[in-house]
Amino acid sequence: MTQQTLDSSVIDIQAELSTLGAVFLDSSVIDEISFLEERDFSTATHQLIYKVMRYLNERDIPIDLVTVTQEFVKFGRTEEMGGVSYLAKLAQSSPTARNAAYYANIVRSKAIRRRGSDKGAQIMNLSYENFESDEDYFSAVEDIIDDLRPSHVAKMQSMRDSRERYFEHIESSPEKLKTGHFKQFDSWAQLWRGWLYIIAGRPSVGKTAKALQLAHGIAVMNPDAGPVLIFSQEMDKNELMDRLVAMVAEINYPRLINKGGPEGFTNEEWTKIYDAYKKIELLNIFVQDSAGVTIDEIRSTVKQFKKKYGKIAAVIVDYLQIMEIPQKRSETRAQAIGNVTRTAKSLARRHKFVFIMLSQLDRAVDDEEPKLKHLKESGSIEQDADVVEFLYHDVKNQKDPTKKIIDSIFAKGRNVGTNRFRYEFRWWHQRYVELQKREAAQDNGGKGSRTNRK
């Protein structure tokens, strides 16, 4: 052992003695050092003494030499505390109780570095283990690193203590993103950072087109908001680009995917395609087109982009039910999906981005307007989502058969309430176009659009 290591070890022990001794001098300081964990102490004896002190404090029992000794005697563990003489030594080892928090911070800082050394060895050992995929390995490494961090103990604050932070919050701009394409929605709500935003509908209603239009709008209207990350599981990158180009260029989508047909594209079409791509490639949009993405993979990607760009505007997953969702033996499919939506919501809140997740609806909506109960496979989607938007194609109530009119029904909206809009889905351009209220009423047999703000 080097002299430096020896000196460090002495400092560790002295800081721990001073911290525990301060509690014996004034038992009320136990609340000031509540951020300390048992594992922060370097010896089993100190861990046990601190555990007993917290146990007594939680039961409003005074903490002193007698009460702590009594707890050890009660369970026949006096040898583990080093004997009564060791507790007496502790009680005299702190010069003052007023510096308890300072001593405790030294203890925690030293503990984090010890754990860092231990975790480094654990990560090294992972390289010898067999993992089914690289993502499983990355996930195991992240779990070890997460365990390195101290557990956070929430503290109550008075209104006076919260004053400065509150007025900083109230004077700052709302953390919302404009979509650009949907003015009625933007004037009503916009996309709030931290949202888990669910877009749900039956197959072929245009969920992917709506999500891509949102991605494009976010990137155009909020250039400093961070990148937009798209996880496409059903379509490869080129198929996704076909849709984006058709939307931006307003070029015929069937002709685009058929490469212009036997005659190829006209000069005018080529110009539109090139111009559209030039605009798209300048946008801060990234696409991953691998099937069966996991929520751990998404979390890992989010962390990498957050580290590189400082912030993220939105993450889009197309779609939830075809993700690779691990299911434990005792879990139902719905419970497993619930784990994914809870993690998605946590990611959105922690990293301050909009998590847009597409989802299927069950077949019942073929006969009735969609409701939250129709979200396929999981009530957790309804519970975890901040916003749920249904895209509903009601064929029976459309007067003009040449148009595909889609009802956008916001069945749940944290902070914004519920609402309803109507769009014409111009599938040949992969674009949603807003209908104004009068226009919407005409296309809905005179019923109009309903609004219900909470």
Side-chain angles (χ1 to χ4, degrees):
M1 184 179 292
T2 65
Q3 183 63 42
Q4 186 178 0
T5 305
L6 234 138
D7 292 344
S8 178
S9 179
V10 170
I11 293 172
D12 290 359
I13 295 298
Q14 188 56 54
E16 291 176 18
L17 291 172
S18 298
T19 301
L20 296 173
V23 180
F24 279 124
L25 287 177
D26 181 357
S27 62
S28 67
V29 302
I30 190 75
D31 296 318
E32 296 178 28
I33 63 171
S34 60
F35 57 84
L36 277 183
E37 303 172 68
E38 291 168 35
R39 63 176 182 161
D40 289 340
F41 291 89
S42 61
T43 70
T45 298
H46 289 174
Q47 290 174 5
L48 197 55
I49 292 170
Y50 182 64
K51 182 178 182 180
V52 169
M53 287 176 165
R54 289 182 63 167
Y55 172 83
L56 294 171
N57 187 57
E58 288 165 5
R59 285 155 183 77
D60 293 324
I61 300 172
I63 303 169
D64 56 34
L65 202 57
V66 174
T67 56
V68 173
T69 302
Q70 186 179 14
E71 286 302 314
F72 279 96
V73 171
K74 186 192 301 183
F75 296 101
R77 303 179 70 173
T78 51
E79 289 185 7
E80 293 180 59
M81 73 175 185
V84 177
S85 61
Y86 188 74
L87 286 184
K89 176 186 173 184
L90 270 180
Q92 299 172 356
S93 61
S94 183
T96 174
R98 285 183 297 180
N99 297 335
Y102 178 78
Y103 304 144
N105 274 304
I106 295 174
V107 171
R108 184 174 68 170
S109 182
K110 295 288 183 180
I112 290 170
R113 280 147 186 79
R114 282 198 309 274
R115 287 201 292 273
S117 179
D118 293 340
K119 300 303 180 186
Q122 291 179 33
I123 291 172
M124 189 180 296
N125 289 333
L126 287 179
S127 63
Y128 302 108
E129 295 185 21
N130 291 322
F131 291 93
E132 292 184 7
S133 69
D134 289 342
E135 284 305 320
D136 288 341
Y137 170 73
F138 291 141
S139 182
V141 171
E142 286 172 0
D143 287 342
I144 290 174
I145 293 172
D146 285 342
D147 188 51
L148 175 63
R149 296 181 182 279
S151 300
H152 296 288
V153 180
K155 291 186 177 181
M156 295 290 286
Q157 287 189 324
S158 70
M159 295 297 103
R160 181 176 295 174
D161 293 335
S162 304
R163 177 186 176 88
E164 185 176 348
R165 181 172 294 180
Y166 175 73
F167 278 99
E168 285 178 1
H169 153 74
I170 207 70
E171 290 170 9
S172 63
S173 300
E175 294 189 293
K176 297 191 288 185
L177 305 174
K178 289 185 177 181
T179 70
H181 292 289
F182 309 114
K183 292 181 180 178
Q184 293 177 90
F185 174 81
D186 283 345
S187 65
W188 168 57
Q190 298 182 34
L191 297 163
W192 292 52
R193 288 184 180 272
W195 267 2
L196 173 57
Y197 183 116
I198 302 293
I199 300 177
R202 293 291 291 150
S204 301
V205 77
K207 297 186 296 294
T208 302
K210 178 73 184 291
L212 287 176
Q213 206 166 344
L214 286 174
H216 178 265
I218 291 168
V220 170
M221 299 297 294
N222 313 273
D224 299 322
V228 177
L229 312 180
I230 302 174
F231 292 86
S232 176
Q233 299 177 95
E234 279 196 308
M235 303 177 199
D236 68 27
K237 196 175 295 183
N238 285 332
E239 289 179 286
L240 220 59
M241 284 306 306
D242 283 342
R243 292 177 177 235
L244 270 172
V245 168
M247 181 194 70
V248 174
E250 295 192 3
I251 192 171
N252 186 278
Y253 177 64
R255 278 185 58 77
L256 191 66
I257 60 176
N258 286 295
K259 324 299 184 192
E263 300 83 17
F265 296 116
T266 65
N267 289 335
E268 183 184 356
E269 287 173 328
W270 274 121
T271 300
K272 285 185 176 182
I273 292 169
Y274 277 120
D275 288 347
Y277 199 90
K278 282 180 183 176
K279 293 175 182 176
I280 293 169
E281 69 181 351
L282 295 175
L283 300 177
N284 217 358
I285 297 176
F286 296 82
V287 178
Q288 177 177 318
D289 58 1
S290 54
V293 68
T294 66
I295 193 65
D296 285 335
E297 187 177 351
I298 293 171
R299 174 167 48 198
S300 177
T301 304
V302 163
K303 287 182 177 179
Q304 291 171 26
F305 273 80
K306 180 76 176 290
K307 185 176 181 180
K308 183 174 181 179
Y309 293 91
K311 52 189 171 182
I312 294 171
V315 172
I316 298 173
V317 175
D318 184 9
Y319 60 92
L320 170 61
Q321 282 80 9
I322 58 173
M323 290 177 68
E324 186 176 317
I325 300 174
Q327 190 172 336
K328 298 174 184 176
R329 287 184 182 179
S330 58
E331 279 185 333
T332 64
R333 167 78 173 172
Q335 287 171 328
I337 287 179
N339 292 333
V340 172
T341 56
R342 279 191 297 276
T343 303
K345 181 172 182 174
S346 175
L347 280 172
R349 293 230 188 283
R350 179 181 298 179
H351 298 290
K352 297 292 183 184
F353 63 83
V354 184
F355 201 132
I356 300 171
M357 188 173 276
L358 277 54
S359 177
Q360 292 280 22
L361 289 174
D362 63 37
R363 294 181 181 276
V365 299
D366 292 340
D367 302 314
E368 61 175 311
E369 193 169 278
K371 299 177 178 60
L372 290 170
K373 66 180 181 180
H374 294 135
L375 285 165
K376 195 172 183 180
E377 292 188 295
S378 178
S380 294
I381 304 175
E382 172 188 346
Q383 179 180 328
D384 296 330
D386 295 285
V387 173
V388 178
E389 178 188 12
F390 294 128
L391 298 178
Y392 178 52
H393 183 212
D394 186 4
V395 181
K396 299 173 185 175
N397 284 324
Q398 294 185 58
K399 296 177 68 176
D400 187 347
T402 64
K403 293 181 179 180
K404 187 171 183 177
I405 305 300
I406 303 295
D407 285 279
S408 166
I409 304 166
F410 285 85
K412 179 181 180 181
R414 193 181 305 279
N415 295 335
V416 296
T418 58
N419 211 334
R420 186 177 186 129
F421 304 99
R422 302 203 95 206
Y423 302 103
E424 179 187 351
F425 179 38
R426 296 177 182 171
W427 57 269
W428 59 95
H429 286 163
Q430 290 296 297
R431 172 185 283 271
Y432 276 79
V433 177
E434 284 186 324
L435 298 178
Q436 298 303 315
K437 288 186 177 181
R438 182 182 301 175
E439 194 178 357
Q442 291 172 351
D443 282 308
N444 196 29
K447 293 181 181 179
S449 59
R450 299 193 298 272
T451 301
N452 175 28
R453 295 195 193 188
K454 289 183 181 177

